């Protein structure tokens, strides 16, 4: 399958600081990338859909000013958690699809485990 | 009603057993479905797509029942390595995940 690389895999930061997470599609162009968050023993919750060259579409209840998403190229999307607080501690995962196909499976990055202390 | 609902389990089965579980979805217009597998603290990985006519991949069989709006996954001859959380995914352009069904296969 296609490869999606997410970095860093684990990060610990102090409350009030910002953290940037990168998601790269290594062997295909991803017009659309998705950002998910998963709390322990819960399902993946979609945070936002990121389209290359345009503003991200955020799900209801997700603060766009707190979770900044940039999709500057067909192979890279970034999620920045601004002014992080302990309640933002979670597992963040990105996924990407090939091109414009809406019915194909998505490939996932390895995830980033964020701990805010 | 949640978009995707799964029996959380856990299903605790001996090696060699057959285990099956369902997932219901709320959008009757949904066309595309997947089963993903997620190991503890790891990212989800695609297990198999679910086709209208049902499909099989080795020991895994997926079925779709549009009338009742559910999909199912059956695992035959369970292996220890099948222990994981299985995520039902409805693909309405954005992927909607169920909370997962935990399966533990014991020796």
């Amino acid at each position: 399958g296609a490869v999606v690389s997410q970095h860093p895999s684990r990060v610990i930061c102090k409350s009030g600081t910002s953290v940037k997470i990168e998601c790269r599609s290594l062997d295909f162009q991803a017009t659309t990338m998705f950002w998910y968050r998963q709390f322990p023993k819960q399902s993946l919750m979609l945070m936002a859909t990121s389209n290359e060259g345009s503003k991200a579409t955020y799900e209801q209840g997700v603060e766009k000013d707190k979770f900044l998403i940039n999709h500057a190229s067909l192979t890279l999307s970034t999620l920045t958690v601004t002014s992080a607080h302990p309640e933002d501690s979670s597992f963040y995962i990105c996924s990407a699809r090939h091109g414009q196909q809406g019915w194909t499976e998505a490939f996932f990055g390895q995830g980033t485990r964020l701990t805010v202390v | 009603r949640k978009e995707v609902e799964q029996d959380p389990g856990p299903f605790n089965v001996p090696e060699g057993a057959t285990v099956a579980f369902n997932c219901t979805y709320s959008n009757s217009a949904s066309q595309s479905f997947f089963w993903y597998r997620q190991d503890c603290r790891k990212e989800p990985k695609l297990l198999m797509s679910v086709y209208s006519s049902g499909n099989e991949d080795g020991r895994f069989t997926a079925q779709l029942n549009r009338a009742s709006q559910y999909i199912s996954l059956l695992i035959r001859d369970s292996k220890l390595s099948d222990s994981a959380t299985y995520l039902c995914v409805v693909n309405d352009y954005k992927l909607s995940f169920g909370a997962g069904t935990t399966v533990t296969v014991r020796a």
Side-chain angles (χ1 to χ4, degrees):
Chain A
V3 178
V4 176
S5 177
Q6 187 173 340
H7 177 80
S9 59
R10 187 181 297 270
V11 59
I12 300 173
C13 70
K14 290 185 177 180
S15 189
T17 61
S18 295
V19 174
K20 180 184 281 189
I21 302 169
E22 291 189 349
C23 180
R24 293 179 185 273
S25 56
L26 297 186
D27 52 0
F28 67 99
Q29 293 185 330
T31 309
T32 305
M33 288 186 174
F34 302 90
W35 286 96
Y36 293 85
R37 179 168 52 182
Q38 186 177 34
F39 292 105
K41 299 190 186 299
Q42 295 186 24
S43 63
L44 278 77
M45 298 301 297
L46 180 65
M47 299 175 67
T49 302
S50 163
N51 294 296
E52 186 263 340
S54 63
K55 291 184 178 180
T57 302
Y58 289 81
E59 295 299 303
Q60 193 173 10
V62 178
E63 300 174 59
K64 61 181 180 181
D65 294 330
K66 180 170 181 62
F67 299 99
L68 302 178
I69 292 173
N70 183 283
H71 193 160
S73 77
L74 286 170
T75 60
L76 173 65
S77 177
T78 61
L79 167 67
T80 301
V81 183
T82 62
S83 186
H85 292 286
E87 59 264 31
D88 298 324
S89 299
S90 187
F91 190 48
Y92 293 86
I93 310 177
C94 69
S95 72
R97 290 183 202 274
H98 293 277
Q100 301 279 5
Q101 295 298 317
W103 309 118
T104 59
E105 70 269 25
F107 298 94
F108 285 83
Q110 301 91 330
T112 298
R113 195 161 298 281
L114 171 64
T115 303
V116 184
V117 298
Chain B
R1 183 182 172 186
K2 289 183 180 178
E3 291 182 51
V4 185
E5 294 201 63
Q6 287 184 252
D7 181 344
F11 288 84
N12 191 324
V13 301
E15 268 189 296
T18 296
V19 59
F21 40 89
N22 294 340
C23 161
T24 59
Y25 59 95
S26 60
N27 183 1
S28 60
S30 297
Q31 296 289 325
S32 178
F33 309 89
F34 301 107
W35 282 104
Y36 276 75
R37 169 195 170 128
Q38 186 175 26
D39 293 296
C40 189
R41 303 173 78 85
K42 297 281 185 66
E43 77 278 17
K45 293 188 188 296
L46 179 68
L47 179 66
M48 60 195 301
S49 302
V50 183
Y51 301 127
S52 296
S53 54
N55 50 299
E56 193 174 299
D57 183 358
R59 298 180 294 106
F60 298 85
T61 301
Q63 296 278 357
L64 168 63
N65 185 316
R66 289 193 187 278
S68 301
Q69 292 181 217
Y70 73 86
I71 66 173
S72 63
L73 181 67
L74 181 145
I75 307 173
R76 283 187 304 277
D77 188 23
S78 300
K79 311 290 184 193
L80 293 175
S81 57
D82 294 333
S83 297
T85 296
Y86 291 85
L87 303 173
C88 167
V89 181
V90 177
N91 185 11
D92 292 328
Y93 181 66
K94 65 180 185 182
L95 301 179
S96 296
F97 285 81
T101 298
T102 299
V103 174
T104 302
V105 182
R106 62 183 188 275

